[in-house]
Structures are given as structure tokens and as C-alpha cells.
Amino acid sequence: MQRTRKCRKWVVIMGLTAMLMTLLSGCGGNAGNKEKTTAADPASRQYYIFDTVVNIKLYEDPKAEEHLDHIDTMLKTLDQELSRTLETSQLYKVNQEAGKQAVEVSEDTMEVLKRSLNYAQETDGLFDPTVGGLVDLWDIGHEGAHVPAPEDLQRELSLVGYKDVVMDEAKQTVFLKRPGMILDLGGIGKGYAADKIAAYLRGEGVKSALVDLGGSSIIVVGSKPNGDSWTVGLQDPDSSRGTIMGNIRLNDQVINTSGIYERYFIEDGVMYHHILDPRTGAPAQNELKSVTILTDNATDADALSTVVYVMGLEKGMEFVENYNEETQALFITKDNKIYATTGLKDTFKVTDEQYSLVE
């Protein structure tokens, strides 16, 4: 039996290539790590939260360090609320009390869960925040990941069901009806945190900033310091050399990618990636390598990149086309074809001849 694991980040900002490729290529980091800057450099800081390295750069802002300190406090608070693995967190307590009693939670936790359940309803359960047991069972991205026994898979699959999550907004409580249910907000929590950061920066009058969540999601606040749009390069999912296969320009937007190359293992010659289908409890099987969502908020981008991948090309394309005007998507198939929703067909530029944009 053969097992391999890989961690690869693949969104880079062109024009600041040297710095951001250094930041995005790693798979780890330290909370609150400050970088030394000169007057010409952006103020930057690296955080580690939700099992993800977060890098933030603020340009030409006299209160940058004050803002970065505030963001540090903000992220630590969200971690104490939304982390599934932190034993002191609100979400951990909700899961511990499954089938027993409701748990009082913060406004942020209520909002994230409310939005998660809305996505679940909109997608008929293809996005389901109660997949925590399945995530633990597969444990993809950690040492020792393997294909679970059928009886274990069926047990955890039987505990998936967003309709069994009870929210009492008046009392601000959450209750899981069945013992053993596990909420996992990892499919939306990082995006929500990024939106909180961006909202704070905009409220403070910051005109130019980058918020990078682990390399798979980037939110740009405003434009580049010189007023130009940011140019984001998408790396070839199959390349280990940082080869860019296309690029797109952003201004005050979010780009988020989910792909099968991000976290996976190989067992008996079969690849098992981390994007689970709540209907089967197993990694989603379709023709896609990745899905990239471009929109105006990170919460949508975080959730949609995953659920649209599970839908597959045809249904995913239809879903995004009908979602809203601000949301667009790129689909990369295993035969190196790129499919773009209407709003991206004229703005995404393919730069690698191995790939072709389907008109």
C-alpha cells in the first residue's frame, strides 16, 4: 500500500512575485510573526489560525501596525469561538453537548452557523456543516490517513444532517439533536474571518491591502498603491515549479480555489482528496481538478468553491451562473480544459499552451 501527502498553495499575486511566492509556498507558520519593513515596504504580519497560515499586507498606511495588532486580537477571538479542535472553543462545547443540551454562543458563531445552514438549504445538503465526523474519520492531510472501514464510514455518514441543527436566535443557543453529531465550520470559517478583517480595514480607511488565507484564498482591499488593479496568477495544478497557467485582474474582490491537489493521500494506487461529498461520505468523484470562485465576499467564496466542486462541471456552472452577478467561476478539468462563467470569459487570460479556454 502506498500513501503520499502533499501541501501546495497555488494563488500568487503577479507584480509582487518574489515576496508572495515565498509566503505562499510554505505549509506552516507562526502566530503573530512580524516582518521587518522599510519605508517602501508594506507593513505585514503572519498569523496561524484555523490550522491555516494567514498573511496580511497593508500598503502606505500610517496606522498599519495598530491595525495589525487589532486583527491579531480579532483572529484569536474567532479561534476561541469557531475552532472545532480547540477544547476551550464554543464550537467544541457545542459538539460535546450533542444530543444533551443547547449551548450559548457568541453573535459571530451564530452568524457563521446561520450562513452555513443557508448554504446547506440552497444546495440541498451538498454543503453541510455537520460533516465533522467524516472529516475526522478520513483525516486527510494528516499522517496515517487511510480509507476507512465501510462500517465506520456508514456510522459517520448517518450522523450527517444539517436539519438536525437547532438554532435559537432569541436565546443565542445551538443544539445538535443527535449524540455523536459534529459541527465543522472549516468550509466557511476562514472566509468569514477574512470578511471581518476586510470590513475592519475598510472601516479604518485602508485603501490598499492583501489578505491571504493559506494561499488558496486571497482578498484584496481596494487597488494597488498606484491605483492599478491587482493581477492574480493561477498556478497549474499539476506543476511543482510554480508555473502560472493564467491570470486575472482584481479590485476589491476575493478569489478562492478548491482543488484535489491541495490535500490528499494515495492508497493502493488510488488518489483520495479532501473534498468530501456529504451524500456518500467519500471524496467527490468527477471530472474536475479545481474550481476557482471570484466574488465580492470571502464567506461566499469559501463555501462555494467547495460545494461547486462537489456539484461537478455542468451543475456547478449552472449554479454559479444563476447565483448572482458578482459571483463568477473557473473550472479546470482533468483534460486541461478551462470553463469560465459568463462574467470571466473575456477577463481571464490563459498563459500556458497546455490549457485551453472553452468558448
Side-chain angles (χ1 to χ4, degrees), residues 41-297:
D41 290 329
S44 62
R45 195 168 306 178
Q46 186 178 90
Y47 312 83
Y48 186 77
I49 191 168
F50 305 145
D51 295 324
T52 300
V53 178
V54 178
N55 287 288
I56 299 177
K57 292 180 178 292
L58 307 183
Y59 295 83
E60 299 180 351
D61 191 290
K63 295 184 178 180
E65 292 300 329
E66 178 183 327
H67 295 327
L68 292 172
D69 287 341
H70 181 87
I71 291 169
D72 185 40
T73 301
M74 182 189 303
L75 290 177
K76 287 176 180 176
T77 299
L78 287 173
D79 204 28
Q80 285 289 336
E81 296 169 342
L82 303 177
S83 172
R84 181 170 62 85
T85 58
L86 190 64
E87 294 186 5
T88 57
S89 77
Q90 294 177 5
L91 192 61
Y92 186 90
K93 186 174 182 181
V94 170
N95 290 333
Q96 289 295 108
E97 297 298 327
K100 301 174 186 177
Q101 63 180 344
V103 175
E104 186 175 351
V105 297
S106 68
E107 291 183 6
D108 280 324
T109 302
M110 288 290 286
E111 179 63 22
V112 174
L113 184 54
K114 182 178 180 179
R115 294 185 70 170
S116 294
L117 296 178
N118 286 341
Y119 290 126
Q121 292 171 352
E122 289 176 357
T123 63
D124 294 324
L126 289 185
F127 183 93
D128 195 314
T130 64
V131 296
L134 289 171
V135 173
D136 286 343
L137 183 64
W138 283 92
D139 203 28
I140 297 173
H142 297 90
E143 197 66 41
H146 63 279
V147 178
E151 59 271 21
D152 293 335
L153 184 62
Q154 187 56 45
R155 180 191 68 244
E156 297 301 336
L157 186 58
S158 70
L159 292 171
V160 175
Y162 71 92
K163 294 181 181 179
D164 288 331
V165 180
V166 180
M167 294 179 61
D168 188 326
E169 296 192 59
K171 295 180 179 179
Q172 208 161 298
T173 60
V174 178
F175 175 58
L176 305 181
K177 287 184 178 180
R178 291 178 286 152
M181 291 184 70
I182 301 178
L183 278 174
D184 185 338
L185 299 177
I188 185 176
K190 292 189 291 294
Y192 182 80
D195 280 336
K196 292 271 288 187
I197 293 169
Y200 165 75
L201 293 176
R202 291 177 180 125
E204 292 295 315
V206 175
K207 303 299 183 183
S208 185
L210 290 171
V211 180
D212 159 42
L213 288 85
S216 61
S217 180
I218 288 179
I219 181 169
V220 297
V221 176
S223 59
K224 293 169 68 172
N226 64 2
D228 291 344
S229 298
W230 305 94
T231 300
V232 178
L234 271 62
Q235 183 180 323
D236 178 358
D238 295 328
S239 174
S240 60
R241 302 188 303 274
T243 303
I244 302 302
M245 48 73 64
N247 58 64
I248 190 168
R249 299 180 73 82
L250 302 182
N251 195 333
D252 226 23
Q253 292 172 292
V254 182
I255 189 166
N256 185 289
T257 294
S258 289
I260 61 176
Y261 53 85
E262 292 176 321
R263 297 196 306 275
Y264 66 85
F265 67 90
I266 296 175
E267 184 172 307
D268 296 331
V270 179
M271 176 184 178
Y272 298 90
H273 59 79
H274 75 292
I275 306 175
L276 302 180
D277 186 335
R279 297 169 297 187
T280 65
Q285 299 297 320
N286 56 44
E287 68 275 42
L288 297 174
K289 285 184 184 179
S290 68
V291 171
T292 296
I293 297 292
L294 179 71
T295 189
D296 59 0
N297 76 88

Side-chain angles (χ1 to χ4, degrees), residues 8-13 19-27 55 212-216 218:
R8 184 188 301 162
K9 315 304 183 190
W10 72 291
V11 179
V12 296
I13 301 293
M19 176 61 72
L20 286 176
M21 286 188 70
T22 298
L23 291 176
L24 300 182
S25 62
C27 296
N55 287 288
D212 159 42
L213 288 85
S216 61
I218 288 179

